[in-house]
Amino acid sequence: DKLLDLHLVLQQLLQMPLGRIWNSVPERDTFIGVFTRLAHKAMEAPAYAKDADLQAALFNSLCLWMQNYNGLYGLATMITQNLQHYEHLSESMASLVQLAYDKYNGTQLADEVLRDIAGKAFNSVHDKAGPKNTARFLVKFSQLAPRALLRQMGLLIKHLDSEAHILRSAMVDAIGHLTLYLASQEEQTEIIKNQIGEYFDIIEQRFQDAHYLVRAKVLQVCQFVCSGPAKFPKRRPRLIALISGRLEDKASNVRKHAIRALTLLLETHPFSLDGAELGIEQLEASLEKINGELEQMASAAPAKPAEAQADKEGNNNNGDADDDNDDDDEDADASMANGEATADGSQDFANAGLSPEMAAKAMHLQFQQRYYRDALHFVYQLQEAQQLLLQLLGSTNKGEVMESMDFFVTAVRFRVDGAQEGIRRMSHLIWTPNTSSNASSSNADGSAEEARGVRAKLLDSYMQL
């Protein structure tokens, strides 16, 4: 309590014009240094660091020192030293920098600390505390002040190639939070869209990381990024393909997170028409109906002279042009297979002489056509993954088995074809022992649900059905 009262008084003191008392700057700084060193010593004690009120008073005092008495470089040095030597201060230092950035115009402090981190080379063999503390700082800071972190990502990105896997994992985590932050901006400029695309490219590259903990972290990042308000429909097919590939990963922890990611992508899928159900027969029937309507509109549309002239000129092209057209047709077919409406289709209706009402209806039907093609492609991807998940139901690892059960229960709820086969195969798990030494030893992050046993999970799953 006395220490708290002292720093509350210090806050008032640092807001006063101390230059009127000390004409000499060194004397003034020596006086202030007495209290800043006391604050530093207090933070070194883990007990004081857990006191929220005391921590807030300490941080505000240090920020006032930085703001009013040129304490920027002294505070930056203090933060980097704390990150190097004190594990319990890694997240607290992120809160301190965030406070300075938001309330005390501490943009320069954030830049200074992040540039210092970017300039360090961590060796996981000889230095274990440094990478771990820095990793925790970066993850926490990406959650608290993503805008400040974005300013220095060009320098920090080099840590994706760090020898310390924990630092690579932290960078992937930070990139996930930055992606969510950028996607939440009201004005989606071209620069923001390109930045999101670059971050997704990095996430996809990290699926091939050499360390299994980084691959597991990538799958966790995919989960919280895709569960946010933004659905990222253009990126989901590629992510699902990569996640399905991790179902055959050699590390059980990675396989477990891959199953969980697939379940979450299924729960948050963007195909909410028709009650969000994903039955292939229903989707194909809807797509066939829309294709029929579009064909009728195309046949009823009057041909325009300009189009006829263009067709005539096209027939007189040389063989090279024909080859180019063939290539374009192949590209169009590929894009249609990926669920993308071709530009040619849109132009046919836009320039076909239709009334504004009919043109708007044609545009709406084309959007629906693309929607059902994407939905079918999504279901086909899930069916491919289900073949591997059926095998994982027989795994000796509890985590994989339970996550597979969750997936099939979710798939049945969304009427995914083939999910009933997984429900039938789950029945043999009733004879699984409640305890498994193999599961406990191979799962470093075992949950309370796993401790309950596979049989209890099986009964809960059938209760949900």
Side-chain angles (χ1 to χ4, degrees):
D1 291 340
K2 291 182 179 180
L3 191 60
L4 175 60
D5 293 339
L6 172 63
H7 282 88
L8 291 175
V9 172
L10 179 60
Q11 290 181 42
Q12 300 176 10
L13 179 66
L14 290 173
Q15 296 179 59
M16 295 180 179
L18 296 180
R20 295 182 180 180
I21 302 176
W22 288 279
N23 295 325
S24 172
V25 173
E27 291 179 354
R28 184 199 66 188
D29 290 345
T30 301
F31 172 76
I32 296 174
V34 173
F35 299 98
T36 56
R37 284 194 295 272
L38 179 62
H40 192 195
K41 288 294 182 182
M43 286 191 296
E44 292 177 2
Y48 288 139
K50 295 178 182 179
D51 189 327
D53 293 334
L54 177 59
Q55 189 178 83
L58 288 171
F59 288 177
N60 280 291
S61 299
L62 293 172
C63 289
L64 286 169
W65 168 48
M66 174 202 71
Q67 185 182 52
N68 298 334
Y69 295 101
N70 299 322
L72 170 66
Y73 295 106
L75 184 56
T77 302
M78 181 189 300
I79 291 171
T80 54
Q81 288 178 349
N82 287 340
L83 289 178
Q84 187 174 357
H85 300 293
Y86 302 103
E87 181 178 349
H88 68 280
L89 290 179
S90 53
E91 294 186 353
S92 298
M93 292 299 98
S95 300
L96 172 57
V97 178
Q98 180 256 341
L99 177 67
Y101 181 82
D102 289 343
K103 295 185 178 181
Y104 294 93
N105 194 24
T107 302
Q108 192 174 353
L109 174 67
D111 291 345
E112 193 70 26
V113 172
L114 293 175
R115 278 197 295 264
D116 183 80
I117 292 174
K120 290 184 178 179
F122 296 97
N123 189 329
S124 59
V125 177
H126 300 96
D127 182 14
K128 294 183 178 180
K132 183 178 180 181
N133 297 345
T134 304
R136 294 180 62 187
F137 171 85
L138 289 173
V139 172
K140 187 67 174 178
F141 194 64
S142 68
Q143 299 171 5
L144 296 175
R147 186 177 178 182
L149 188 63
L150 273 170
R151 292 167 53 90
Q152 301 298 328
M153 276 302 291
L155 298 176
L156 291 167
I157 205 73
K158 73 169 199 174
H159 287 309
L160 281 171
D161 299 322
S162 172
E163 294 183 14
H165 69 84
I166 192 170
L167 203 55
R168 300 200 304 273
S169 180
M171 286 300 301
V172 170
D173 205 341
I175 286 173
H177 288 108
L178 293 180
T179 303
L180 282 180
Y181 168 74
L182 291 171
S184 66
Q185 300 303 298
E186 293 183 3
E187 185 179 358
Q188 290 292 308
T189 63
E190 202 63 33
I191 295 176
I192 291 179
K193 291 178 181 178
N194 292 337
Q195 189 71 71
I196 292 175
E198 290 176 6
Y199 286 158
F200 266 110
D201 290 340
I202 293 173
I203 290 173
E204 291 174 2
Q205 291 170 7
R206 290 294 111 185
F207 272 90
Q208 307 298 327
D209 195 278
H211 203 284
Y212 77 97
L213 288 177
V214 181
R215 299 196 299 273
K217 176 58 68 176
V218 171
L219 292 164
Q220 291 175 301
V221 168
C222 291
Q223 292 172 45
F224 72 72
V225 167
C226 292
S227 61
K231 299 298 182 183
F232 304 108
K234 292 183 179 179
R235 285 287 181 172
R236 282 190 171 228
R238 174 64 177 161
L239 286 179
I240 293 174
L242 292 170
I243 292 169
S244 299
R246 292 300 98 198
L247 293 175
E248 298 180 282
D249 197 281
K250 60 183 180 181
S252 61
N253 191 33
V254 178
R255 294 195 299 269
K256 185 180 74 171
H257 283 294
I259 303 168
R260 188 177 298 170
L262 278 178
T263 305
L264 189 138
L265 286 168
L266 175 57
E267 289 177 340
T268 61
H269 74 80
F271 308 107
S272 56
L273 295 180
D274 305 319
E277 295 184 356
L278 298 171
I280 289 181
E281 185 177 350
Q282 181 181 0
L283 293 174
E284 287 181 340
S286 299
L287 179 59
E288 186 176 352
K289 179 182 176 182
I290 291 171
N291 287 338
E293 293 183 24
L294 286 172
E295 288 175 1
Q296 290 179 0
M297 295 184 70
S299 60
K304 297 187 73 175
E307 293 175 352
Q309 181 66 23
D311 292 340
K312 183 178 179 180
E313 292 177 358
N315 292 332
N316 295 328
N317 286 339
N318 56 25
D320 293 338
D322 291 337
D323 292 341
D324 292 340
N325 290 336
D326 291 340
D327 293 339
D328 292 340
D329 290 340
E330 291 177 3
D331 293 340
D333 292 340
S335 65
M336 296 289 277
N338 291 329
E340 297 179 2
T342 61
D344 292 337
S346 300
Q347 291 174 357
D348 285 341
F349 289 107
N351 301 320
L354 296 175
S355 64
E357 294 80 7
M358 293 298 292
K361 182 180 179 182
M363 184 72 70
H364 180 67
L365 287 173
Q366 285 179 323
F367 281 129
Q368 286 187 317
Q369 183 187 53
R370 179 174 180 175
Y371 167 87
Y372 284 111
R373 282 175 175 159
D374 288 346
L376 283 169
H377 181 63
F378 175 63
V379 176
Y380 295 148
Q381 285 185 303
L382 291 179
Q383 287 187 324
E384 291 180 6
Q386 281 180 160
Q387 302 304 315
L388 295 172
L389 291 168
L390 288 172
Q391 300 176 22
L392 291 176
L393 282 174
S395 172
T396 58
N397 185 285
K398 277 187 178 183
E400 295 175 25
V401 174
M402 291 182 174
E403 294 296 341
S404 299
M405 292 162 66
D406 280 337
F407 174 86
F408 283 113
V409 171
T410 305
V412 168
R413 180 154 50 91
F414 286 101
R415 303 288 192 271
V416 178
D417 292 341
Q420 288 291 345
E421 177 64 22
I423 299 299
R424 284 192 292 269
R425 291 200 189 183
M426 282 163 50
S427 60
H428 79 279
L429 298 172
I430 195 66
W431 289 285
T432 303
N434 277 332
T435 58
S436 173
S437 58
N438 291 336
S440 59
S441 62
S442 58
N443 264 321
D445 58 340
S447 63
E449 188 179 61
E450 293 179 23
R452 291 174 53 230
V454 174
R455 284 192 291 181
K457 177 67 175 178
L458 177 65
L459 294 176
D460 289 345
S461 299
Y462 281 138
M463 288 288 289
Q464 294 179 43
L465 295 171

